[in-house]
Structures are given as structure tokens and as C-alpha cells.
Amino acid sequence: MGELIGEVATDTLYFVERSEFDRVLRLNAPDAEKALLFADLARINTLYMIARAGSGHIGSSFSTMDMAAWLHLYAMDRTSATPDIYFSSKGHDAPGLYALLTALGVQDFELIHRFRRLDGLPGHPDRLFPGMVTNTGSLGMGISKAKGMSHAMSARGEHRRRIFVVLGDGELQEGQIWESLVSAANRHQGRIIAIVDHNKLQSDTFVSETSDLGDLEAKFQAFGWNVKRVNGHDIEAFALALSDWRNETTRPKMIIADTVKGKGISFMEHTAMESDAALYRFHSGAPDAASYSMGLQEILDRVNRRLETLATRGLSLETVEPPARVASDASIPVERLVPVYTELLLEAARKDGKIVALDADLALDTGLLPFKAEFPARFVECGISEMDMVSQAGGMALQGLLPICHSFACFLGTRANEQIYNNATEKTKVGYVGALAGILPAAPGHSHQSVRDISAVGGVPHLILADPASGADLRLLFDLLAIRGNKSFYLRITSIPWERPYAATPPQDLGIGQGYAIREGKDGVIFAYGPVMLANAWRAAERIAAKSGKQFKVINLPFLNQIDLEWLKTIVLGAPAIVTVDNHYIAGGLGEKLLAAAATVGWSGKVRQFGLTDVPPGGQPAEVLERLGLDCKGLAKAIGASF
Amino acid sequence: MGELIGEVATDTLYFVERSEFDRVLRLNAPDAEKALLFADLARINTLYMIARAGSGHIGSSFSTMDMAAWLHLYAMDRTSATPDIYFSSKGHDAPGLYALLTALGVQDFELIHRFRRLDGLPGHPDRLFPGMVTNTGSLGMGISKAKGMSHAMSARGEHRRRIFVVLGDGELQEGQIWESLVSAANRHQGRIIAIVDHNKLQSDTFVSETSDLGDLEAKFQAFGWNVKRVNGHDIEAFALALSDWRNETTRPKMIIADTVKGKGISFMEHTAMESDAALYRFHSGAPDAASYSMGLQEILDRVNRRLETLATRGLSLETVEPPARVASDASIPVERLVPVYTELLLEAARKDGKIVALDADLALDTGLLPFKAEFPARFVECGISEMDMVSQAGGMALQGLLPICHSFACFLGTRANEQIYNNATEKTKVGYVGALAGILPAAPGHSHQSVRDISAVGGVPHLILADPASGADLRLLFDLLAIRGNKSFYLRITSIPWERPYAATPPQDLGIGQGYAIREGKDGVIFAYGPVMLANAWRAAERIAAKSGKQFKVINLPFLNQIDLEWLKTIVLGAPAIVTVDNHYIAGGLGEKLLAAAATVGWSGKVRQFGLTDVPPGGQPAEVLERLGLDCKGLAKAIGASF
């Protein structure tokens, strides 16, 4: 059982047990007051989950929390055979929603200890978990999904069911939102109630700085929706807005809820941020120990003051030791590719005035902040509008510039897939840089694991895909493709730092479609790419050698859709086995292309392919790779057993 | 030299020589009157090009013609070092624009005889032709492209250059349009003047029936644009709107031009269509001989009346024999897959109330009109909104329906690429049907040639791709995947009718990932799929046998991302050679996957891959396949020489 905590200890984590949530609901107080108290308890658990996981979205979980609590406790029909539905299209508020759903018993309470862990609660919504209606995290799909659900409900005659969809204000920059608004109005899908969590901030900074939304009410009204604007932390006003619409069954409804990002912990609230600040610190990272305990103390004090007013005992908290962090071996170099990219881009931009960097609201993650600072006129912030970004780049290239588009790899090649192809058919040169590529980090979940991009853009002509495994690779590839090349290029960048146990010395005359050995051996060739899989392949080869004496050559092949057949002959002919290790689905990955090329040059022998065959699990790096058999141990075992 | 034509002869084509356009410009008449005359002459040549080509977009070329003529003749700076730019985002009006540009000498006049032919003017804009600024045909990218161009111009200090972008009204259903509007306003890109060709009709029928646009002026104003609404055939009003804005350099501008689709030939004008008609006949097809001559006569009479009023001689026309149509051999069966699909869908829907058909404004082309008529409540017209359609389908599947999404293959898997993946991660069952798949027809140009979709969606888990080569294949695959399967499926449908010289008898027990032989032989195995390539492969094998006696087995492998390895062993082991023929880029096509699988099962031998390595050319089927070496003669020669 928990205990009353006066002063929060540092280096300790705390959470609220279900019984305390139940106690709040039994208090003799107005519903709105209980909802706000319940929300604050859920904030404590949200903070706990994120601090324990080491990452997660605090700001957005807190800004929606009061409304979400009200809806789940007092507004939605959650118990009939045809209950109302609630989901978040933006998905960043998942930990906040988990905190509510575990408190309500919809989700197993124990899951709060396994946020962003293997088989635990994923970083973004996945419908395979109770209470999660649909998979989100890739933005802009929520209203469309709701429309499809609404169609099914109408077909079944379930006319009273409502669908609540939470949208981010940054998310409104996605074209799909506007694409989806029109027919909801035309088709009278009045059961849809969308709520814009208008917390004024997106991933990097203020929405107004990124791509100002203008007059939102006028926009939604022009698209035929019923619109109300309320303070999203004033629960009475919010409830009134909803009840006002009780008899309005025809027109879909949009609540623009003015909220505060990070609401509930004063120093995390966006209103505490300077209006010209470049970065909001509590978008997706975990708080440090001091911020955690200070923030918790603030919520706790507020909750206890309220409980005291209601003449009941203070809040009991459960105490948990924070998980130990694994120390890394300082003697092994760690690859961090994004800072190298930043340097390369700056160097190039100083020499070549034609270079323009375009960003889709990930300037921090893609390493563009120094570029933005040094070349403000050559930095184009597009907002969360990947299609628009890529086509803008196409227009720039037609006018003689060298545009380079930046986003996460999971979004860039897939959301703007057709736009990338359209640019390619114009045979201009456009650069694409997709960060956060590959299986890791797996904590954000499959919406953010870019394991399909090689397939999605690999077939685009005049576009060369490359995946550097080290800073040295990146330097060489950037020079070859961005500086000296005349084709479009796509750099697939692993963002997670990764230990590199082998020497990174790419041959300076590496040609397009060629790789190089990082380990020699005559018993077979392992092909891999990128920091994670290459390190694992190298370690697996070492392990096999130690165990069986078999020596596998390990090839770093950084080109993902180009293979130099003459070079390949020198590597594979005579080799008894080929192993391919994809940081991607096997389908459409490099392995298939490589094996096809090997067949073409007349190679034959034993084959083994590694990579994904299903949607990857979320979790911490080591546990996810182990589950997939893609850690060095798993690879060594499988390869050792195969040959 | 041309001659005065009183009455137009049937079975003859006519065009206007450049000198006649020049004569119009020298007339002593107001500019607006000359522009309208010039536009009518260009209409005659547009009609000629389309009649000669056998396809092309009359309706949209005619609705924009008056404005385009005015802009090019009297409004745009076309001669300075930093000229104004004009392009069409919708791209359907390409033949109309060619008629203007050839008349103005921007394009070689002789090109009007090679519309939609190899090395001639492509069906949609391609920037490799003079006067064509950017590649369009895939909708919604125009404003984004203009913004990129504008950025480059501003960076160079070219502050007076304007960019005119023509948008379709149906095109406004694409989310990218709205995604692109916001930052144009925020970034004060006042040089951009977009013109909505508001002709009220899209591909299938009225915009209002498809996805009503609502209050367009309010929408654009809410997005921060300057908006004016004019009659697009009232040149004085149009000119006034432009000149009104001369000093407004900050805000981007939108002209909503009310136009008449097919304007200039009374029976092609949309206003001549019943308001509840399901189809507009002159969207993309060529007129029949009677419509051609009747339509031409009407324009000619109008032009001559005007010339007479201006006291000058009547219009001279050049006379051309219409090209002979190749008669097909009635003894060879012709595969038409879309009507078979229609039947299968209807049969299935009668038995299974869960089936819903979603369409993205291609109900005629994807064979959905009978479904719409029989099951109006289960037909969802999404408009040109592929992302929204696919995510709606996702929502329906979550609610227990079996949604099937329809579009052209070139758009479905690429514009909604991320949305298809998002649905797949939910592990529901959603159907996708992409018509107009493959290299042919090539007349519309590369925006409509779906030769990248296998790569773009082939890596999506829980999604089975299949490409039927015959009606019999389609029946079998539909049963296996749509009726009996539990995974999502993507049917890649060739729309063009194609002769099938071999027997179409798929084994009824065909498993997923298996194909079957349509010809036996021991000297090698040719793998192909789809009506076009399979017929060509079969004919090539016959030709090789006749010439050299070598017998190639020909396998129809309709599964594009699944290969049953046990089955494959029975086909390839012992075969001295494998040939793969992709109706797709080689990169990411079936051939790569097949060769990788062959290597995996231990096969070795000689290899030859066929398919595309570059953006395919446009033109008529035979000439395009010949150029690519993918006709039966080219395949036979290359295969014969290789083995």
C-alpha cells in the first residue's frame, strides 16, 4: 500500500494506485472538480510512466488531460452495447490516455510499469490494446478513420453513437485533415466531434512560428462544420459546449480547445516559455530527475490542497526505485550520425549558395537548428506538411536551387511518396534526408519505426538511396551524392547512438553501388548496412568465429537500391554462403536486391535472409532486437546453425 | 496551304496553320476579341490532336482556353529575362495548352501531329517540352511547386515575376492543395496567382455530386488568400481582376473562374448535360467521327462569322486523312479485366452485406457504376481524395465491414502509401483495386503509368498483391483473396484490352505465392504476369522456338509479393535459365523478388531481367513496347541472344 508523501525524494519514482482514483470518484464534490482531481492523479502516473521509460510526450498528454478525464468520467457513454468512441488522432497524448484507462480499469493497471517496453504500452496508440481504437502516430488520419467508423455505425442503425477525435493543432498542417473535412459535412456525419488540442506548440516550437494556422474558426466553418471555441481546462465550459450540441445530429462538430502544453506543472507549461524560444523542452523527452521531482511535488501539493478542502486525507503514493541505466563501455566509439550531418550540411552550404534546407517540423531531430541559425533565408520551415515540402523542393530544383528535404524516414518517403516520384520524373536533383530510420528506436512504436522506406522509394528512378553506418560513411556519401552527384539522393539516417566495435574506414574511392569489408572471412559473406545491423553482424561474426572457427566476411553495403555488379563479383564469387541483414522488412529490403544481383552474376550457394517479416514490436533496443533475433547473439546462433 | 472549308467532311481531320493564328493577332480589333478568336482556333487544333490521338481531355482544355489565351497573348510577361510562368496543376488541359504554345511558336508546330505519340506531346505536362514548366497529371501539387519556384525567385531578387497556376475544381479535393495554401499566405508569396477552372465537373460527374466544395470563396479567404470570382469566359472581367491586383504584392491570389466544361462546342458543354447525369462524355475520350465534324463545324462557323464582321476572309484549314485503325484478329480472345471485376464484385456484394466499395472519382474506369446503381448505400464516393478514402476504409474495417478502395494504380498505392501501411498495422482486412496498372496505356504519360506500385506497396505486411492476366485469373484471385482470404489484398488491374494468344486455364487449387505454366519448355523459364507481358512473353517463346528450336517454359506468376518456395523449386530447379519480365521498374518489381527466392532455393543458372530502368515514354502501345524492347519481337531477340 502507498503512503502519504510530504516531500518528494529525488531519485525515486512514484505512482498512484487505482484505489486512490476510485476514492476521488466517491468524493462528495461537483463532477467537474472530481474530473480535474482525477486528471491530476493521472498526470502523476503519466509523469511516472515517462520518467521510467526514459521518453514520452508530457506536454501533449497534459494539455488534453482535463478534457479526456471529463469525457471518460462524465460525458461519454462507455457502458452500453453501442458505446461512444474516443481516440487521439495525434497520438502523442497516448501516455496520458493510458493513465486514464488504467485508472478506469479498461487497461490492466500493471501496464503502467511497462510503458514503451516490449509487450507493454506502446509509445503511440495501437488498437491491439484495450481502449485504443485505432493506430495513430502518423498524423492526419483521425477524421477519415472516424468517417469510416461512422459509415459502419449508420449502416447498422446505431444512430446515437458518438465518435470523439482529438487532433493536434500542429496536426492541422497535414493536408489529409482538410481533405477529410468536406465529405463529413456533406454526408451529415454529425456523430463526429473533433477536438483540436490547441496548445499552440508543435514538436519544435510555436505553431505560429512553424506555419501559422490563421483564423481556425473561419476555416472549419467554411468547411461546413459546427465550430465552438472553449478553454480546454475550463471543464464547465467544455461540458456546456458538448451539451449545447446534444440535439444537433446533422453537422459534424469541431471544438477548438485552447489549452496549455504541459498544463499542470508550471515550469512545463508553454506559457512559461519565452515567445521567441526555438524549442519547447517537454515535447517528447523524459524529464531529468530534478524536473521529475519538482513537477511531481507541484501536482501533489495541489492535489493535497484540494483534498484538504474536501475534508479528506491526502494522496497516497506508491514508491518505485528508478530502473538502473546501463553504463556503456567508454572505450568503444559511439556513432551519432545527426551531428555529423549537421556539420556536413553547414560546410556545404557555406560553399554553395544554392543549397536550401526544408524541414517538416523536426528541425531539432534532423539536426537543422544550426543551419537555421546561420542561414535563416535558406531554411524553409514547412510544418507537418511533407507533401507540400517535397513538391516545394521540386519547384526550387526547377529554378536551379539544390533543395534538401528533412523529416523522419517513416514519414518522408511514405507520406510524400508520389511527390518524390513526381520530382524524379522531372530529372532535377533533390535531396531527401530521413532521420530516425530503421527498427530502433523502437520505443515510439511502429508508426515511427521506418522499416518500409527502402521498398517505398527504392523503385524511384534517378534517386540513389544510401544508409551510412558511421560518420566516416556519411562524409563519404554526402560528398559523393550531395556535392558531386547529379542525381537525387535519399540519405537514410539512424538517429539512435550506437556503439561501433569495428574500424570505420571506408575506401575513399568507393563507387556508387559498392560496399566494403569490415571483416574478412572465407566461409561466407554477411551483408549489412547502418550502424545497428552492421555492428550486430560484425559481433555475430566474431562470436561464430570464437565458437566454431568459421570466418564470415562482413560487408558494409551502404547503397540500398544500387549494386555494382562487377564489384559484387569480386565479393561473392567463390563464397559458399550469403547472409543478408536488413534493418527493414525483408520484403523490398536490400537483401532481395542483393540476392537477385548475386544470381545475375552467376553466384550460387547457401542463403539466409534476416530482417522483419511482421510489424515490429515496440520497446527498448536490446529487448526488441532480441525478440526479433536481430541482436548479435540471435544472429550468431541462426547463422551458425544454418551453415 | 490550307483552304476555306464551308462544310466539314466526315472522316477527315482538319487543323489551323500557324499563319492563320498570326493573321488573327494582326486584325484591327480589341485585344479581348482577338484572344477569343485565337482561343477558338486553338480549340480547332485541340480537337484535331485529340481526334487524331484517339484520346485526350477536351472538356478541360476548352474550359481553360479563353483565360489561357488571354494570359499568353496579353497579360503575361513572356519575353523579358525574368518572364512570368504559367502552368497547369491539373494537367488535363495539356492539349489545349499545346494548341496555344504551338501557335505561338514556343513549341515546334509539327508536334500537333504527334500528340500522345512516341517522342510527341505527352498526354499530361512534361517539363522536358518547351513551355511546360513542371510535370503534372498527378493532382494537387501545383501550389506547392509554385511556392518553391517563388522562393527561388525571391532569393535571386526577381521580385516582379508572377506565377500563374491553373487548378481544377475536382483537384481541390486533394488534401495537398489545402496543405499548400497556408504557408503561401504566411510567407507573403503574392507573386502566385492561382486560377480555379471551376467547370463544375470532374472525371465522372458533377463536383457537387462527388464531393461538394461548399463556399469556395470563404474557404480560400479563411486560408489567407486574396480571392476574386469571375466568369472565366468573360475576358474583360478576367483581365480586370488581374489588373486590380497589380499593386497587391503581398498576399497570394486565387481567381475562382466559373467556366463551362467543353466550352465552345454546344453539345460538349456541361450545361447541355442533365443535372442528374452520372457521366460527362467528353472528359478524356476522343470524339467519334460525327461528333468531331459536328463540333468542328460549330467552331468554324462561329470563327467565320466573327472574321466576316471584321471584314476579313474566312479561316483556312489544312486537311488530313485520319490515321487508319489497326483491325484486330477476331479469332484471338481479348482480355478486358474491368468488366469481369464488376461482375465479381456484384456477385460478392449480393452475398456479403459487409462489402463496401469506395471510389476516388474513377467509378467508370474502375467498373463501379453497376455497383453504385445496385448498392447506393454501400458505395462511398470519396472524390479525388485517396488518403481520405484509404483511411475511411481503415475505419470501416475496424467496425467490421469489408471495404474495397478503388482508384488508378498509379495513385492508390503512392498517394495513400502511408495510409495503406497504417491500415495494415491494424491487421484488419481492406481491399485495394488499382486499375490502369502497368506501362500501358502509355498515351496519358508517365503520371498515369503505374510502374512503381509493386515496389511502393509490396513491402506492406499483411497485404497480398496480385496481378491477374485473364478473366479466369481474376475470378480465381478474387475468390482466394477477397472472399476466402483473411489478409488485406491489392488487385493490380490492367485496364487496356489485350489479345490473349494462349489458353487461360489457371489450376483451381492455385495457392498463394504460386503460378502456373502457360507454355512448357526445358531450355529456361520465363516469368511474367498481367495480360500484356504474359502475352508478349508467350509470343516471344513461340518465336524463339520457331527460330532456334529452344523451348522456354512460360510461367504466369500472378502474386507480386509472395512466392511459395516449395512450388518454386518444382519450377526452377534444373532449369538452365531464368528470365523475368516486369510490367514495372525492374527495381522493386517481381523479378528481383523471384531471383532472390531462386537463390534461396539453391537454383543457379543464367539470368536475364526485363522491365523498366527509366521513366517510361508515352505513346501508342506498340511503339512504346517496341522502344522499350518489351514487345514480343524485342523480347525474343534479347532472350534468344542471351541463352
Side-chain angles (χ1 to χ4, degrees):
Chain A
M1 281 305 295
E3 52 181 332
L4 272 168
I5 304 287
E7 194 163 332
V8 166
T10 51
D11 287 328
T12 305
L13 301 179
Y14 302 87
F15 68 93
V16 182
E17 258 297 356
R18 255 197 91 183
S19 54
E20 288 292 81
F21 286 95
D22 290 343
R23 182 161 69 96
V24 164
L25 296 185
R26 290 192 307 266
L27 291 173
N28 184 14
D31 289 348
E33 191 173 347
K34 290 196 280 187
L36 289 174
L37 253 177
F38 199 93
D40 264 349
L41 269 54
R43 282 190 176 93
I44 292 177
N45 283 1
T46 305
L47 201 61
Y48 163 74
M49 286 190 276
I50 293 172
R52 181 172 179 141
S55 65
H57 296 88
I58 299 178
S60 182
S61 291
F62 281 16
S63 60
T64 53
M65 188 67 89
D66 297 330
M67 295 183 290
W70 174 257
L71 285 169
H72 282 81
L73 293 173
Y74 301 109
M76 284 166 60
D77 169 5
R78 295 201 303 118
T79 54
S80 78
T82 54
D84 290 341
I85 279 181
Y86 173 99
F87 68 92
S88 166
S89 179
K90 62 174 176 170
H92 286 156
D93 44 350
L97 186 55
Y98 298 147
L100 290 174
L101 294 176
T102 47
L104 289 166
V106 175
Q107 291 181 344
D108 175 7
F109 190 82
E110 294 307 305
L111 282 169
I112 73 164
H113 310 303
R114 296 200 58 77
F115 175 55
R116 293 189 165 225
R117 295 300 301 266
L118 192 63
D119 303 324
L121 292 165
H124 289 86
D126 188 308
R127 71 138 188 141
L128 301 178
F129 288 80
M132 309 310 282
V133 174
T134 180
N135 294 9
T136 55
S138 191
L139 299 174
M141 303 180 194
I143 293 178
S144 302
K145 288 265 180 92
K147 285 159 61 184
M149 294 176 201
S150 174
H151 176 94
M153 291 172 186
S154 295
R156 285 194 299 260
E158 299 166 358
H159 296 300
R160 295 193 59 82
R161 291 183 85 172
R162 292 177 300 172
I163 304 173
F164 294 90
V165 188
V166 175
L167 307 172
D169 45 8
E171 186 180 15
L172 301 179
Q173 291 157 1
E174 285 288 3
Q176 187 175 354
I177 293 288
W178 305 94
E179 187 172 299
S180 67
L181 290 175
V182 184
S183 79
N186 291 345
R187 282 156 58 198
H188 309 303
Q189 295 182 311
R191 71 170 82 245
I192 300 176
I193 303 172
I195 301 165
V196 178
D197 177 26
H198 197 12
N199 63 25
K200 319 295 183 299
L201 278 177
Q202 47 196 107
S203 173
D204 285 340
T205 186
F206 290 95
V207 176
S208 58
E209 294 292 310
T210 309
S211 181
D212 190 59
L213 297 170
D215 186 344
L216 266 186
E217 284 156 274
K219 281 181 185 170
F220 291 126
Q221 272 157 1
F223 276 76
W225 285 53
N226 247 325
V227 184
K228 284 185 192 284
R229 186 158 191 155
V230 300
N231 174 347
H233 304 297
D234 180 344
I235 289 307
E236 280 95 349
F238 180 68
L240 195 65
L242 288 178
S243 59
D244 264 3
W245 275 335
R246 262 290 170 198
N247 298 316
E248 162 64 70
T249 54
T250 309
R251 275 166 67 187
K253 302 158 188 80
M254 182 74 63
I255 297 183
I256 303 168
D258 289 297
T259 58
V260 175
K261 193 154 181 172
K263 174 74 179 182
I265 296 180
S266 55
F267 63 90
M268 292 185 182
E269 296 185 355
H270 82 256
T271 43
M273 175 177 161
E274 295 292 328
S275 67
D276 61 345
L279 272 183
Y280 172 73
R281 283 175 51 226
F282 302 99
H283 174 72
S284 63
D288 57 29
S291 302
Y292 173 77
S293 51
M294 195 158 72
L296 173 60
Q297 188 75 56
E298 182 179 330
I299 303 174
L300 184 62
D301 290 348
R302 183 170 62 238
V303 167
N304 282 335
R305 277 196 305 275
R306 283 195 197 162
L307 291 173
E308 200 181 341
T309 315
L310 295 167
T312 181
R313 67 179 158 81
L315 187 68
S316 288
L317 288 179
E318 308 284 324
T319 305
V320 177
E321 283 293 295
R325 302 277 167 216
V326 183
S328 58
D329 181 348
S331 71
I332 302 176
V334 171
E335 289 294 347
R336 282 189 183 83
L337 296 182
V338 173
V340 177
Y341 175 72
T342 300
E343 245 181 76
L344 291 168
L345 182 67
L346 283 173
E347 278 168 27
R350 285 172 197 139
K351 288 180 198 151
D352 183 354
K354 296 198 304 299
I355 291 177
V356 177
L358 297 96
D359 174 49
D361 189 34
L362 289 164
L364 172 66
D365 298 86
T366 59
L368 289 181
L369 292 178
F371 183 95
K372 180 182 176 180
E374 188 167 336
F375 301 105
R378 288 158 62 187
F379 173 79
V380 179
E381 180 52 74
C382 303
I384 311 174
S385 306
E386 295 82 5
M387 299 185 292
D388 183 46
M389 172 174 70
V390 168
S391 294
Q392 278 197 64
M396 290 176 187
L398 288 170
Q399 284 288 323
L401 298 180
L402 174 52
I404 307 182
C405 300
H406 301 76
S407 184
F408 283 159
C410 52
F411 305 138
L412 182 56
T414 61
R415 302 197 74 107
N417 189 275
E418 171 78 336
Q419 288 74 16
I420 291 174
Y421 182 59
N422 174 276
N423 286 349
T425 65
E426 295 184 334
K427 301 183 183 177
T428 52
K429 182 176 175 184
V430 178
Y432 303 95
V433 176
L436 211 76
I439 297 166
L440 301 184
H446 47 70
S447 61
H448 286 59
Q449 288 169 292
S450 186
V451 290
R452 201 177 58 85
D453 53 328
I454 301 176
S455 166
V457 293
V460 175
H462 304 281
L463 177 70
I464 299 176
L465 272 63
D467 193 334
S470 64
D473 271 9
L474 180 50
R475 278 185 185 282
L476 194 138
L477 293 167
F478 190 86
D479 181 61
L480 196 60
L481 302 176
I483 311 282
R484 292 192 285 135
N486 56 16
K487 293 201 171 175
S488 292
F489 60 92
Y490 174 94
L491 288 173
R492 188 175 192 254
I493 307 262
T494 295
S495 293
I496 195 167
W498 202 253
E499 287 184 352
R500 176 174 48 73
Y502 56 87
T505 47
Q508 289 307 301
D509 60 348
L510 191 79
I512 287 174
Q514 299 177 357
Y516 61 96
I518 59 162
R519 187 181 192 284
E520 292 297 337
K522 298 215 169 294
D523 295 312
V525 188
I526 306 175
F527 289 88
Y529 53 87
V532 174
M533 291 306 161
L534 202 61
N536 288 4
W538 185 89
R539 285 199 161 107
E542 291 286 311
R543 192 180 273 258
I544 292 166
K547 194 167 173 192
S548 70
K550 281 190 183 155
Q551 298 294 345
F552 279 81
K553 186 192 289 262
V554 179
I555 296 287
N556 175 10
L557 179 48
F559 292 97
L560 303 176
N561 67 341
Q562 314 282 326
I563 295 172
D564 179 330
L565 295 182
E566 290 307 313
W567 166 80
L568 186 66
K569 282 183 194 170
T570 67
I571 302 296
V572 298
L573 292 185
I578 290 181
V579 176
T580 62
V581 186
D582 262 297
N583 190 359
H584 189 272
Y585 289 112
I586 288 177
L590 177 59
E592 283 185 350
K593 194 173 292 283
L594 190 107
L595 290 172
T600 303
V601 300
W603 174 85
S604 71
K606 284 194 170 176
V607 167
R608 185 79 199 251
Q609 287 176 274
F610 293 89
L612 295 173
T613 55
D614 203 345
V615 180
Q620 295 302 306
E623 61 188 5
V624 166
L625 291 181
E626 187 188 1
R627 168 72 57 85
L628 295 168
L630 294 172
D631 58 336
C632 61
K633 210 164 141 189
L635 287 172
K637 197 171 159 195
I639 297 169
S642 301
F643 304 107
Chain B
M1 280 305 293
E3 52 180 333
L4 273 168
I5 304 287
E7 192 164 333
V8 167
T10 52
D11 288 328
T12 305
L13 301 179
Y14 302 88
F15 69 92
V16 181
E17 258 296 359
R18 254 197 92 181
S19 54
E20 287 291 80
F21 285 94
D22 291 343
R23 181 160 71 95
V24 164
L25 296 184
R26 288 192 307 268
L27 290 172
N28 185 14
D31 288 348
E33 190 171 349
K34 289 196 282 186
L36 289 174
L37 252 178
F38 199 92
D40 264 348
L41 268 54
R43 283 190 176 91
I44 292 176
N45 282 1
T46 303
L47 200 62
Y48 163 74
M49 286 191 276
I50 292 173
R52 181 171 180 144
S55 66
H57 296 88
I58 298 178
S60 182
S61 290
F62 281 16
S63 60
T64 54
M65 188 68 89
D66 296 330
M67 295 182 292
W70 173 259
L71 286 168
H72 283 81
L73 292 173
Y74 300 110
M76 284 165 61
D77 169 5
R78 298 200 302 118
T79 53
S80 79
T82 55
D84 291 340
I85 279 181
Y86 174 100
F87 69 92
S88 167
S89 180
K90 60 174 177 171
H92 285 157
D93 44 348
L97 186 56
Y98 298 147
L100 290 173
L101 294 175
T102 48
L104 289 166
V106 175
Q107 292 181 342
D108 176 6
F109 191 82
E110 294 306 307
L111 282 169
I112 72 163
H113 310 304
R114 295 200 59 76
F115 175 55
R116 292 187 166 227
R117 295 300 302 266
L118 192 64
D119 303 325
L121 291 165
H124 290 87
D126 188 309
R127 72 139 188 140
L128 302 177
F129 288 80
M132 309 311 281
V133 173
T134 180
N135 294 9
T136 55
S138 191
L139 298 174
M141 303 180 194
I143 292 178
S144 302
K145 288 266 181 95
K147 283 158 62 184
M149 295 177 200
S150 175
H151 176 94
M153 291 172 186
S154 296
R156 284 193 299 260
E158 299 166 358
H159 297 299
R160 296 193 58 81
R161 290 183 85 172
R162 292 177 299 171
I163 305 174
F164 294 90
V165 188
V166 175
L167 307 172
D169 45 9
E171 185 180 15
L172 301 179
Q173 292 158 1
E174 285 288 4
Q176 187 174 353
I177 293 289
W178 305 95
E179 186 171 299
S180 67
L181 289 174
V182 182
S183 80
N186 290 345
R187 281 155 59 197
H188 310 303
Q189 295 183 310
R191 70 170 83 243
I192 299 177
I193 303 172
I195 301 165
V196 178
D197 177 27
H198 197 10
N199 62 27
K200 319 293 183 298
L201 278 176
Q202 47 194 106
S203 173
D204 285 339
T205 187
F206 289 96
V207 175
S208 57
E209 295 290 311
T210 309
S211 182
D212 190 60
L213 297 170
D215 186 343
L216 267 185
E217 284 155 274
K219 282 182 183 169
F220 290 127
Q221 271 157 2
F223 276 77
W225 285 54
N226 246 324
V227 184
K228 283 184 193 282
R229 186 158 192 155
V230 300
N231 174 346
H233 304 297
D234 179 344
I235 288 308
E236 280 94 350
F238 180 68
L240 195 66
L242 288 177
S243 60
D244 264 3
W245 276 337
R246 262 291 170 197
N247 297 317
E248 163 64 72
T249 54
T250 309
R251 276 167 59 184
K253 301 159 187 81
M254 182 73 64
I255 298 183
I256 302 168
D258 288 297
T259 58
V260 175
K261 194 153 180 173
K263 173 73 178 183
I265 297 179
S266 54
F267 63 89
M268 293 184 181
E269 295 183 357
H270 83 256
T271 44
M273 176 175 160
E274 295 293 329
S275 66
D276 61 345
L279 274 182
Y280 172 73
R281 284 174 51 227
F282 301 99
H283 174 72
S284 63
D288 58 27
S291 300
Y292 172 76
S293 51
M294 197 159 71
L296 173 58
Q297 187 77 56
E298 182 180 329
I299 304 175
L300 184 62
D301 290 348
R302 183 170 63 238
V303 167
N304 281 335
R305 278 195 306 274
R306 283 194 196 162
L307 291 174
E308 199 180 340
T309 315
L310 295 167
T312 180
R313 65 177 159 82
L315 187 69
S316 287
L317 288 180
E318 307 286 325
T319 305
V320 176
E321 283 292 296
R325 301 278 167 214
V326 183
S328 59
D329 181 347
S331 71
I332 302 176
V334 172
E335 290 294 347
R336 283 189 182 83
L337 297 182
V338 173
V340 177
Y341 175 74
T342 300
E343 247 180 75
L344 291 169
L345 182 67
L346 284 175
E347 277 169 29
R350 284 173 199 140
K351 288 180 200 154
D352 183 354
K354 298 199 303 298
I355 292 178
V356 177
L358 297 97
D359 174 49
D361 190 33
L362 289 164
L364 171 67
D365 297 86
T366 58
L368 289 180
L369 293 179
F371 183 95
K372 180 181 176 183
E374 189 168 334
F375 302 105
R378 289 158 62 186
F379 173 79
V380 180
E381 179 52 75
C382 302
I384 311 174
S385 304
E386 296 81 6
M387 299 184 292
D388 182 46
M389 172 174 69
V390 168
S391 293
Q392 277 196 64
M396 290 177 187
L398 288 170
Q399 283 288 322
L401 299 179
L402 173 52
I404 307 181
C405 301
H406 301 77
S407 183
F408 282 160
C410 51
F411 304 139
L412 182 56
T414 61
R415 301 197 75 108
N417 191 275
E418 171 77 337
Q419 288 73 16
I420 290 174
Y421 182 60
N422 175 276
N423 286 349
T425 66
E426 295 185 335
K427 301 183 184 177
T428 52
K429 181 175 175 183
V430 177
Y432 304 94
V433 176
L436 210 79
I439 297 167
L440 303 183
H446 47 70
S447 61
H448 285 59
Q449 288 169 293
S450 185
V451 290
R452 199 176 60 85
D453 53 330
I454 301 176
S455 166
V457 293
V460 175
H462 304 280
L463 177 68
I464 299 176
L465 273 63
D467 194 334
S470 63
D473 272 8
L474 181 50
R475 278 185 186 282
L476 194 139
L477 293 166
F478 190 85
D479 181 60
L480 196 61
L481 302 176
I483 310 282
R484 292 193 284 134
N486 56 16
K487 293 201 170 176
S488 292
F489 61 91
Y490 175 93
L491 289 173
R492 188 173 192 255
I493 308 261
T494 296
S495 293
I496 195 169
W498 202 254
E499 288 184 353
R500 176 174 49 73
Y502 57 88
T505 47
Q508 289 307 301
D509 60 347
L510 192 79
I512 287 174
Q514 300 177 356
Y516 60 95
I518 59 162
R519 186 182 192 284
E520 293 297 336
K522 299 215 169 290
D523 295 313
V525 189
I526 306 176
F527 289 88
Y529 54 86
V532 173
M533 290 306 160
L534 202 61
N536 289 3
W538 185 90
R539 285 199 161 105
E542 292 285 310
R543 193 181 271 256
I544 293 167
K547 195 168 173 190
S548 70
K550 282 190 183 154
Q551 298 294 345
F552 278 81
K553 186 192 287 263
V554 179
I555 296 287
N556 175 9
L557 179 49
F559 292 96
L560 303 176
N561 68 340
Q562 314 283 326
I563 296 172
D564 178 331
L565 295 182
E566 290 308 310
W567 166 80
L568 186 67
K569 282 184 193 169
T570 68
I571 302 295
V572 298
L573 292 186
I578 290 180
V579 176
T580 62
V581 186
D582 261 299
N583 190 0
H584 189 271
Y585 289 112
I586 287 176
L590 176 60
E592 282 184 352
K593 192 172 295 282
L594 189 107
L595 291 172
T600 302
V601 301
W603 175 86
S604 71
K606 284 195 170 176
V607 168
R608 185 78 200 251
Q609 287 176 275
F610 293 89
L612 295 174
T613 55
D614 203 347
V615 180
Q620 296 301 306
E623 63 189 3
V624 166
L625 291 181
E626 186 188 2
R627 167 72 57 86
L628 294 168
L630 293 173
D631 58 338
C632 60
K633 209 164 144 188
L635 287 172
K637 196 171 159 194
I639 297 169
S642 300
F643 304 107

